[in-house]
Amino acid sequence: MSDVFQFMKLSRNPGDKVEASVRKIEFKEIYQPLHAVDAADQAGRCLSCGNPYCEWQCPVHNYIPNWLKLVEEGRLFEAAELSHQTNSLPEICGRVCPQDRLCEGACTLNQGGFGAVSIGSIEKYITDEAFKAGWRPDMSKVVWTDKTVGVIGAGPAGLACADVLVRNGVKAVVYDRYEEIGGLLTFGIPEFKLEKDVIRRRRAILEGMGVEFVLNTEIGKDVSIETLLEKHDAIFMGMGAYKFMKGGFPGEDSPGVLEALPYLINNVRQSMGTLPGDETHISMKGKRVLVLGGGDTAMDCNRTAIRQGAKRVICAYRRDEGNMPGSKREVANAKEEGVEFLWNRQPVAIEPMIGGTLAVKLAETRLGAPDAKGRCNAELVHGSGEIIEFDHVIVAFGFQVEAADWFERQGITVASNGRTLVSGAMGKRYQTDNSRVFAGGDMVRGADLVVRAVFEGRQAADEMLDFLSQPR
Ligand code: FAD
Ligand code: SF4
């Protein structure tokens, strides 16, 4: 591969033009991959609209029509290079983004009723195939500086931040309390949506680029934040949102009632062979399972329980189907796999029964007045309800952000809902009130999407590069 991009400006903002960056590419190799016909056919459907709505609906503002054109022409390596110019984890976003709500929902063909170009699949295809064919991010022009950044959290926000930093010659050391990188990519999203090999491959790529991972290390417990601040010029925090939201009804703490995330993590660790010795694998084989919630986490629990061989899986949600927060594709998948849905139902009590089963009282709800965000509240229909017996209940009501105990000591402030406050000291969008500490992803936005965490990690890295270049 010959000349490459200028990597100094990696994130893309509305209004940035694509032409300048594309012209910088001068590749000698043109790779015609196997099985390229389908991808090229799909890519060829793109109308190259004058104002590509897909790009602006994509949170990282991918150069979608441009890389579709490169795929159509069989110029895979160039497509991979361009795709990485805006997205640090394109093969992962291509797999897990709710495209129906983002790029593909905005595709002009979709608006016209012709079916969107399968943008997500092509994005995944580009990187998968390019990696297979030996393409790697080109670091040959990187001039290493003496600056180092400590990144807390190896989730998508932290990985994206580290990616941009090393491409600009800043050493990135990523610390995570888990045994593997990925955050919720590894320990939340199940294997059937995102193969763990894909994350292991990305780890090898990042390590090859110079990112260092320090795993099984919790900041605040195994290593203090003060040590990290001494060691590094600046810190990026991408620590996620992990505080479990409870339903607040009687019997919620009964044996057999499980929190969604520990259930999913237990299953991932079982399949990775890293389940701690003192933990037993939770299997729903032959069990009657109730999943409470209507988001993507609930869908992942439904589909995991089905795969474990549950006898019956019912998912109860307090609003109607049209008002579910989860991706429509995920609900459709769950239905297809045999999950039964009870709409407009809310748990009001769980009673443990002799023999270890659970009697769950589900009351009916109806949609009431809209809240400040325009979403209708679910109101209980008094006197309604039925009692159903289950072996397990999995509660998936979502997650909130929790501040670490060292935030206060380091002058990092949080909002009343726990989210880390940014746009701090020097007017930077991702800088906390401690000028050497930046933050992004779920811990700033609240529980959200992989692609938005990637975007924030990249944006924060751009700001940190600017911060590190200032005399101090
Ligand atoms: P995380 O991915 O949560 O990563 C944070 C990392 O920080 C973790 O690895 C954690 O161990 C580490 N950490 C925290 N504190 C410390 C500390 N003190 N020291 C060291 N390490 C620390 N989004 C989608 O777009 N598509 C989906 O299909 C999808 N499915 C989901 C399914 C589930 C079950 C869940 C829970 C979420 C899903 N999401 C999905 C949301 C998505 O995973 C998150 O929005 C995204 O991972 C947030 O990235 P992050 O980097 O901010 O945080
Ligand atoms: Fe679509 Fe997500 Fe890829 Fe953007 S990152 S093009 S939203 S799949």
Side-chain angles (χ1 to χ4, degrees):
M1 202 173 296
S2 66
D3 276 346
V4 273
F5 300 110
Q6 273 279 29
F7 277 119
M8 284 313 284
K9 181 70 186 158
L10 278 159
S11 301
R12 193 185 176 200
N13 291 305
D16 286 359
K17 291 265 181 264
V18 65
E19 289 82 5
S21 9
V22 170
R23 272 195 218 109
K24 279 183 200 134
I25 315 169
E26 284 171 34
F27 291 103
K28 294 207 177 89
E29 287 174 36
I30 294 184
Y31 170 71
Q32 182 64 42
L34 283 174
H35 314 300
V37 181
D38 290 347
D41 280 356
Q42 255 307 308
R45 293 180 63 231
C46 176
L47 300 174
S48 302
C49 323
N51 185 7
Y53 300 105
C54 55
E55 287 191 359
W56 302 116
Q57 235 4 70
C58 163
V60 289
H61 309 310
N62 273 333
Y63 296 116
I64 298 166
N66 302 74
W67 43 248
L68 289 177
K69 183 100 191 108
L70 292 169
V71 169
E72 193 190 357
E73 292 169 2
R75 295 156 72 186
L76 187 71
F77 283 9
E78 287 167 81
E81 198 73 62
L82 185 59
S83 164
H84 279 77
Q85 202 179 5
T86 48
N87 192 349
S88 302
L89 306 173
E91 76 286 19
I92 291 172
C93 291
R95 282 171 166 84
V96 303
C97 271
Q99 285 98 5
D100 51 347
R101 286 195 267 140
L102 301 172
C103 53
E104 293 178 17
C107 173
T108 308
L109 284 172
N110 187 50
Q111 309 281 322
F114 299 103
V117 174
S118 45
I119 299 167
S121 304
I122 297 175
E123 190 178 24
K124 146 177 135 65
Y125 163 88
I126 292 169
T127 301
D128 283 353
E129 293 301 318
F131 280 155
K132 265 192 234 161
W135 175 85
R136 294 291 179 270
D138 187 344
M139 300 291 286
S140 62
K141 303 273 187 310
V142 173
V143 179
W144 290 97
T145 67
D146 61 351
K147 304 289 181 205
T148 78
V149 167
V151 175
I152 311 176
L159 297 180
C161 181
D163 173 46
V164 174
L165 291 170
V166 292
R167 284 171 187 264
N168 284 278
V170 172
K171 174 86 191 159
V173 183
V174 185
Y175 301 85
D176 203 291
R177 62 185 172 198
Y178 288 146
E179 66 272 21
E180 183 52 278
I181 74 156
L184 289 174
L185 301 176
T186 298
F187 295 100
I189 303 178
E191 172 89 26
F192 54 81
K193 267 168 65 183
L194 175 57
E195 311 90 298
K196 306 303 165 197
D197 277 354
V198 171
I199 301 158
R200 283 192 276 266
R201 181 179 65 189
R202 181 52 74 172
R203 175 176 172 181
I205 299 286
L206 287 166
E207 284 174 335
M209 293 165 72
V211 176
E212 185 184 334
F213 292 106
V214 181
L215 302 177
N216 291 311
T217 304
E218 183 168 341
I219 304 307
K221 191 173 141 215
D222 302 310
V223 176
S224 74
I225 183 70
E226 287 75 17
T227 307
L228 234 59
L229 281 161
E230 264 169 40
K231 227 168 156 177
H232 301 287
D233 298 288
I235 302 292
F236 173 77
M237 305 192 300
M239 292 157 59
Y242 285 90
K243 190 175 163 195
F244 170 68
M245 277 164 73
K246 296 192 90 167
F249 49 85
E252 205 180 355
D253 297 321
S254 307
V257 181
L258 307 170
E259 295 176 16
L261 203 52
Y263 165 63
L264 293 172
I265 293 176
N266 174 283
N267 194 52
V268 169
R269 283 190 162 145
Q270 168 72 12
S271 59
M272 292 199 327
T274 59
L275 197 65
D278 56 354
E279 223 180 282
T280 44
H281 179 221
I282 307 164
S283 171
M284 297 298 156
K285 191 169 168 48
K287 303 277 172 62
R288 295 158 302 171
V289 183
L290 173 67
V291 176
L292 297 171
D296 285 339
T297 304
M299 296 315 122
D300 289 346
C301 292
N302 285 323
R303 299 180 68 199
T304 300
I306 289 272
R307 277 168 178 72
Q308 289 180 333
K311 190 162 145 197
R312 192 173 185 196
V313 179
I314 295 181
C315 180
Y317 177 58
R318 64 198 166 125
R319 295 189 178 89
D320 59 14
E321 184 168 6
N323 281 289
M324 282 186 90
S327 150
K328 304 257 173 303
R329 183 182 64 189
E330 286 306 305
V331 177
N333 287 338
K335 278 186 188 169
E336 208 169 282
E337 290 167 9
V339 175
E340 299 164 56
F341 283 87
L342 288 175
W343 314 113
N344 296 109
R345 296 293 204 295
Q346 188 171 321
V348 285
I350 296 180
E351 202 172 314
M353 312 277 284
I354 297 165
T357 62
L358 299 160
V360 184
K361 183 167 184 198
L362 289 167
E364 284 176 31
T365 60
R366 64 174 156 241
L367 292 182
D371 61 16
K373 287 185 184 159
R375 249 179 122 219
C376 293
N377 284 314
E379 294 170 354
L380 274 183
V381 177
H382 289 290
S384 70
E386 57 187 326
I387 294 174
I388 314 181
E389 199 180 334
F390 292 94
D391 298 298
H392 277 292
V393 174
I394 305 173
V395 184
F397 289 151
F399 309 96
Q400 283 178 331
V401 186
E402 198 167 26
D405 55 9
W406 40 265
F407 279 16
E408 208 179 327
R409 221 165 58 228
Q410 285 301 332
I412 299 163
T413 47
V414 296
S416 54
N417 55 15
R419 293 184 199 170
T420 307
L421 287 173
V422 285
S423 77
M426 294 162 74
K428 294 199 179 300
R429 174 69 188 82
Y430 297 97
Q431 192 174 31
T432 69
D433 285 336
N434 179 327
S435 64
R436 287 179 62 207
V437 182
F438 292 68
D442 279 5
M443 71 182 297
V444 169
R445 307 180 58 85
D448 196 9
L449 292 177
V450 170
V451 64
R452 295 212 176 94
V454 167
F455 178 72
E456 296 203 344
R458 295 175 64 89
Q459 294 275 312
D462 273 348
E463 290 191 353
M464 293 175 93
L465 292 171
D466 185 46
F467 172 78
L468 294 172
S469 68
Q470 310 285 324
R472 268 175 294 130

